[in-house]
Amino acid sequence: MGSTDSKLNFRKAVIQLTTKTQPVEATDDAFWDQFWADTATSVQDVFALVPAAEIRAVREESPSNLATLCYKAVEKLVQGAESGCHSEKEKQIVLNCSRLLTRVLPYIFEDPDWRGFFWSTVPGAGRGGDSAEDVHSLDSCEYIWEAGVGFAHSPQPNYIHDMNRMELLKLLLTCFSEAMYLPPAPESGSTNPWVQFFCSTENRHALPLFTSLLNTVCAYDPVGYGIPYNHLLFSDYREPLVEEAAQVLIVTLDHDSASSASPTVDGTTTGTAMDDADPPGPENLFVNYLSRIHREEDFQFILKGIARLLSNPLLQTYLPNSTKKIQFHQELLVLFWKLCDFNKKFLFFVLKSSDVLDILVPILFFLNDARADQSRVGLMHIGVFILLLLSGERNFGVRLNKPYSVRVPMDIPVFTGTHADLLIVVFHKIITSGHQRLQPLFDCLLTIVVNVSPYLKSLSMVTANKLLHLLEAFSTTWFLFSAAQNHHLVFFLLEVFNNIIQYQFDGNSNLVYAIIRKRSVFHQLANLPTDLPTIHKALQRRRRTPEPLSRTGSQEGTSMEGSRPAAPAEPGTLKTSLVATPGIDKLTEKSQVSEDGTLRSLEPEPQQSSEDGSPAKGESSQAWREQRRLSSSSASGQWSPTPEWVLSWKSKLPLQTIMRLLQVLVPQVEKICIDKGLTDESEILRFLQHGTLVGLLPVPHPILIRKYQANSGTAMWFRTYMWGVIYLRWAPGGGVVST
């Protein structure tokens, strides 16, 4: 009965607020206390008893009452923070205020006229109780939630504490979510004022909060002792806290690293794991702390924790559904990206051992699983971006040579080989059987393969055939002539073959054999038609194009991950699609591998007009004008290739190494087949394994690595993707979004 009476009284208070036409004085405590002092409503009750229509009605018809409600609720939070909430009643008041603000804030963010409302003077400041001085002198580092980075003591689990933390984290997320209601701001200088304040020196508890969030996520083990069906027998109150901690963490780490040159703070990191002699970092303390983690034991803790959680959905047991499966892998991928992007020491630690493969395999699993689902295109992008970042480092390519023995449930061809084989087979599956909206990722996928190709010691026959199949598909005349950028894919694949032939020939007899078998593809490329009638004839076959390869070059905005029907929001209040991702030329910069193994950045060469609008080096003004015409035609959907355009790139196809290989080896293979009457390819492979091309190939070309470079375009993409994930996670249950 008490619970029912409490809900009834709360509902009566809401009705009084919505029906009052005159402003209620802030000093009328008897009225305002009805919302938090005498009730014990759950967050579900608050969302049910405070309908969206009534909040909007108060906002429009009695704005002063809504303002006073928020002021009084914040005042109670301030008093609770200063007093320490020693009594149960005080704790309940803080929880009730948190739930009410979580419900009301999104409707304030909807209205541009209310944008500056929360940035006025905080009410009730300095009116704390007798213990205010004790609270301010408290060393909050002693109350970090979980052992891990910079904190060795593991507190006893406390269900009540975790539930209270969840309430406050949900309110924080709701505050941070104002960014969802603002018009898109492509300029990197636009910052979220809530995040900026929370991660500044104004928050004296920034360090223990950052450490608590990071440790809570990385220490979580959903399987525990591995007792089958334990998640059905016992409720896991820790997982919702971990999920919210991960979300708050990635939102607070939303920082454009391409423009971070702000001074660091002083005095807040002394005596912690984040201490280092590095130069000053950004003003965002969370980014600052993250970038300064440097102890190997901390890196190991973080990497093992993220790998354990990412691998959780891949776990297989003899008993069906006996293991708990987490659902917040997208937040983990964003967190891993932030770690690698902001802390290069962590990135190098990840690549130092084969532990990086514990991250690679789950990412490939997610990519393969999501490839045919258009609602999960955001997940595809984040996975590919992470692999692009890793592939820019030599160690990643070297680690891929480790044999792939642990079989993960994926619908891919069976093979015996390395993690490099797994990578290429999954990429082939994405390109050939994914949906059309993945086509902007083709350049990224092949760039990753190009980056690792100089270090791949032995590809399986399955993988070799997949690479040749891609070249065969991309080399058809109808595909090459269908869009202005399609020939770039052929250039990438030829670069892969050249790298392996020049630098890893000895162990790659499977690939060499596949090249010999498909040599007609290379001859076809060398003899591409350049006359107009043949070009037009090839284009007539476009309607019969297989869907995954009917690439038009479009890079329109893509729906955010998991865009299933969600709770409705006001028209125009939320941007529900991802911004377009930058092209591969904007995502990467070229570096050349020197003889000592170091990377040397190359000066960006002038690009053809189809990329940046300026004539390439050595390109005549007439050819440049032709490129401009073709580019504008392509952009308007009226692609019309010409002989001049074909000649402009056909002459640059890097076919010399491959054609020389074919010139030397094809006669030898044909001769041995005739002399010995061979019909078994294993004998031919054995012959190729012992063959050599030393002194017969052109001088090896320098290894070019296309490294990811931070830019405002990807920062904007990550921001929209991150909020899309959080929006969809909370929309059905309330909080963060207005419904």
Side-chain angles (χ1 to χ4, degrees):
M1 283 295 293
S3 175
T4 303
D5 291 342
S6 178
K7 294 179 185 178
L8 185 60
N9 293 335
F10 182 79
R11 179 60 187 152
K12 286 180 180 179
V14 173
I15 293 174
Q16 289 181 44
L17 181 68
T18 56
T19 55
K20 284 184 179 293
T21 56
Q22 298 299 319
V24 181
E25 292 295 330
T27 55
D28 189 354
D29 290 337
F31 174 78
W32 297 113
D33 284 350
Q34 298 177 91
F35 292 96
W36 40 74
D38 303 319
T39 63
T41 50
S42 66
V43 66
Q44 291 81 8
D45 293 336
V46 171
F47 274 75
L49 298 174
V50 188
E54 295 183 9
I55 301 175
R56 291 188 176 109
V58 174
R59 185 188 67 195
E60 300 301 325
E61 298 168 13
S62 303
S64 62
N65 286 342
L66 180 60
T68 304
L69 176 69
C70 294
Y71 271 124
K72 296 293 287 185
V74 173
E75 182 181 57
K76 292 296 181 183
L77 293 181
V78 172
Q79 292 173 3
E82 294 190 339
S83 69
C85 295
H86 294 294
S87 68
E88 289 300 320
K89 183 177 181 180
E90 287 178 301
K91 295 175 184 176
Q92 191 61 53
I93 288 175
V94 168
L95 288 175
N96 289 338
C97 291
S98 298
R99 293 162 183 166
L100 190 60
L101 288 170
T102 301
R103 180 56 171 159
V104 170
L105 256 61
Y107 302 93
I108 290 179
F109 295 155
E110 281 182 353
D111 193 332
D113 295 335
W114 286 72
R115 291 276 155 78
F117 172 70
F118 280 99
W119 300 104
S120 54
T121 304
V122 179
R127 290 171 45 191
D130 297 336
S131 59
E133 184 178 349
D134 295 334
V135 172
H136 284 297
S137 61
L138 183 72
D139 182 7
S140 54
C141 287
E142 296 180 5
Y143 294 91
I144 291 174
W145 305 350
E146 186 62 68
V149 176
F151 190 68
H153 175 65
S154 185
Q156 285 294 322
N158 189 307
Y159 169 77
I160 300 298
H161 287 174
D162 283 355
M163 297 300 291
N164 293 342
R165 288 162 180 163
M166 285 171 53
E167 301 274 8
L168 296 176
L169 289 180
K170 190 174 295 184
L171 176 57
L172 276 175
L173 269 179
T174 306
C175 293
F176 297 156
S177 72
E178 184 180 13
M180 297 172 63
Y181 300 86
L182 300 175
E187 62 274 4
S188 59
S190 61
T191 56
N192 186 325
W194 295 90
V195 173
Q196 187 177 30
F197 183 84
F198 184 74
C199 299
S200 71
T201 52
E202 296 287 341
N203 181 4
R204 62 181 299 270
H205 303 296
L207 177 59
L209 280 170
F210 167 78
T211 309
S212 295
L213 294 172
L214 182 62
N215 291 354
T216 298
V217 173
C218 295
Y220 177 57
D221 184 359
V223 177
Y225 292 110
I227 301 173
Y229 302 107
N230 63 336
H231 61 291
L232 301 179
L233 300 174
F234 313 101
S235 59
D236 182 6
Y237 62 87
R238 194 72 171 178
E239 183 185 1
L241 175 65
V242 174
E243 183 175 332
E244 288 184 23
Q247 291 171 353
V248 171
L249 198 54
I250 62 176
V251 170
T252 52
L253 292 172
D254 180 20
H255 178 76
D256 189 354
S257 60
S259 59
S260 60
S262 305
T264 186
V265 298
D266 53 355
T268 55
T269 60
T270 55
T272 73
M274 273 63 77
D275 282 347
D276 205 351
D278 287 346
E283 288 180 340
N284 181 314
L285 291 184
F286 278 40
V287 175
N288 196 334
Y289 298 148
L290 185 72
S291 65
R292 295 169 64 180
I293 298 174
H294 62 279
R295 298 192 307 183
E296 291 215 349
E297 55 266 36
D298 292 334
F299 287 155
Q300 187 70 20
F301 167 75
I302 295 172
L303 179 58
K304 287 293 185 184
I306 293 178
R308 178 176 58 249
L309 293 173
L310 285 177
S311 301
N312 171 260
L314 284 64
L315 293 177
Q316 297 184 85
T317 57
Y318 291 107
L319 300 173
N321 302 318
S322 63
T323 304
K324 182 180 180 63
K325 301 293 177 68
I326 64 166
Q327 302 297 323
F328 55 95
H329 51 273
Q330 297 170 89
E331 291 92 329
L332 292 170
L333 291 174
V334 176
L335 177 58
F336 182 77
W337 170 272
K338 299 289 186 183
L339 283 158
C340 292
D341 193 24
F342 293 144
N343 192 320
K344 297 307 176 187
K345 292 181 180 178
F346 175 77
L347 175 61
F348 298 147
F349 176 85
V350 170
L351 296 167
K352 189 172 69 172
S353 71
S354 296
D355 289 343
V356 66
L357 303 178
D358 296 333
I359 300 292
L360 169 71
V361 173
I363 290 177
L364 293 178
F365 171 83
F366 295 134
L367 292 179
N368 183 68
D369 186 57
R371 71 180 189 278
D373 186 353
Q374 294 198 34
S375 69
R376 301 170 71 190
V377 69
L379 175 60
M380 298 293 296
H381 278 74
I382 177 65
V384 171
F385 283 164
I386 289 174
L387 296 183
L388 179 64
L389 178 68
L390 296 176
S391 73
E393 306 297 333
R394 174 186 178 276
N395 276 353
F396 181 67
V398 173
R399 302 302 168 205
L400 291 178
N401 290 305
K402 183 178 180 180
Y404 175 64
S405 55
V406 179
R407 299 296 167 180
V408 171
M410 286 193 273
D411 56 337
I412 57 175
V414 178
F415 66 90
T416 300
T418 66
H419 285 77
D421 294 298
L422 176 66
L423 177 99
I424 294 172
V425 167
V426 170
F427 282 8
H428 175 271
K429 194 85 173 180
I430 293 170
I431 292 172
T432 58
S433 63
H435 54 82
Q436 279 189 308
R437 290 167 63 193
L438 296 181
Q439 289 162 11
L441 286 177
F442 286 6
D443 290 336
C444 282
L445 293 172
L446 294 186
T447 297
I448 294 166
V449 180
V450 170
N451 282 347
V452 302
S453 59
Y455 313 109
L456 306 184
K457 295 182 178 299
S458 178
L459 294 180
S460 69
M461 184 60 76
V462 172
T463 305
N465 286 330
K466 297 300 182 187
L467 287 174
L468 267 297
H469 174 254
L470 289 180
L471 181 67
E472 200 171 14
F474 292 145
S475 298
T476 53
T477 51
W478 58 260
F479 180 77
L480 283 172
F481 300 157
S482 293
Q485 310 298 323
N486 281 358
H487 62 282
H488 291 174
L489 302 176
V490 172
F491 276 79
F492 283 136
L493 286 168
L494 292 178
E495 189 172 347
V496 170
F497 297 140
N498 287 336
N499 282 340
I500 294 177
I501 292 170
Q502 290 280 21
Y503 293 100
Q504 300 293 343
F505 176 82
D506 290 345
N508 278 290
S509 56
N510 289 326
L511 181 63
V512 174
Y513 179 61
I515 290 174
I516 292 175
R517 286 187 57 192
K518 294 288 186 179
R519 57 188 179 276
S520 60
V521 179
F522 302 98
H523 292 296
Q524 175 186 320
L525 281 172
N527 297 287
L528 271 177
T530 57
D531 59 290
L532 204 56
T534 308
I535 293 174
H536 287 167
K537 184 177 179 181
L539 287 175
Q540 290 174 1
R541 283 177 273 178
R542 278 184 68 178
R543 292 184 178 179
R544 299 196 297 273
T545 303
E547 193 171 279
L549 298 183
S550 59
R551 172 169 147 138
T552 61
S554 172
Q555 294 199 23
E556 297 176 357
T558 51
S559 295
M560 59 189 171
E561 155 70 12
S563 56
R564 56 187 181 278
E570 282 291 290
T573 58
L574 293 174
K575 181 175 176 61
T576 56
S577 62
L578 291 173
V579 295
T581 54
I584 193 65
D585 56 321
K586 299 293 190 299
L587 277 173
T588 59
E589 62 178 0
K590 289 184 179 180
S591 298
Q592 183 173 308
V593 180
S594 306
E595 292 184 3
D596 59 358
T598 59
L599 288 179
R600 178 173 61 87
S601 296
L602 298 180
E603 292 294 327
E605 297 179 1
Q607 300 294 314
Q608 292 184 351
S609 59
S610 59
E611 294 186 15
D612 68 358
S614 60
K617 183 178 181 180
E619 184 180 19
S620 67
S621 58
Q622 181 178 357
W624 176 64
R625 283 193 295 271
E626 178 68 14
Q627 289 277 4
R628 291 286 294 172
R629 184 187 71 78
L630 294 175
S631 178
S632 60
S633 299
S634 177
S636 64
Q638 301 174 349
W639 173 237
S640 179
T642 65
E644 292 79 11
W645 171 77
V646 177
L647 286 170
S648 69
W649 55 264
K650 176 187 173 182
S651 60
K652 301 173 184 176
L653 286 170
L655 289 167
Q656 297 85 352
T657 298
I658 298 171
M659 299 306 281
R660 180 58 179 160
L661 177 144
L662 294 174
Q663 182 184 5
V664 172
L665 291 182
V666 169
Q668 295 181 12
V669 171
E670 289 178 343
K671 183 176 185 301
I672 194 173
C673 288
I674 294 172
D675 292 348
K676 296 187 177 182
L678 297 181
T679 57
D680 186 3
E681 67 178 20
S682 62
E683 292 291 333
I684 301 174
L685 287 171
R686 192 172 296 112
F687 166 76
L688 293 174
Q689 286 172 358
H690 295 90
T692 180
L693 292 177
V694 175
L696 299 175
L697 295 178
V699 176
H701 57 279
I703 297 175
L704 292 181
I705 302 296
R706 294 166 179 84
K707 293 173 67 73
Y708 167 80
Q709 58 177 351
N711 61 86
S712 57
T714 49
M716 186 64 182
W717 184 91
F718 271 98
R719 190 169 299 127
T720 55
Y721 171 67
M722 171 186 69
W723 278 116
V725 169
I726 296 172
Y727 168 79
L728 291 170
R729 189 82 74 221
W730 291 107
V736 180
V737 293
S738 55
T739 61

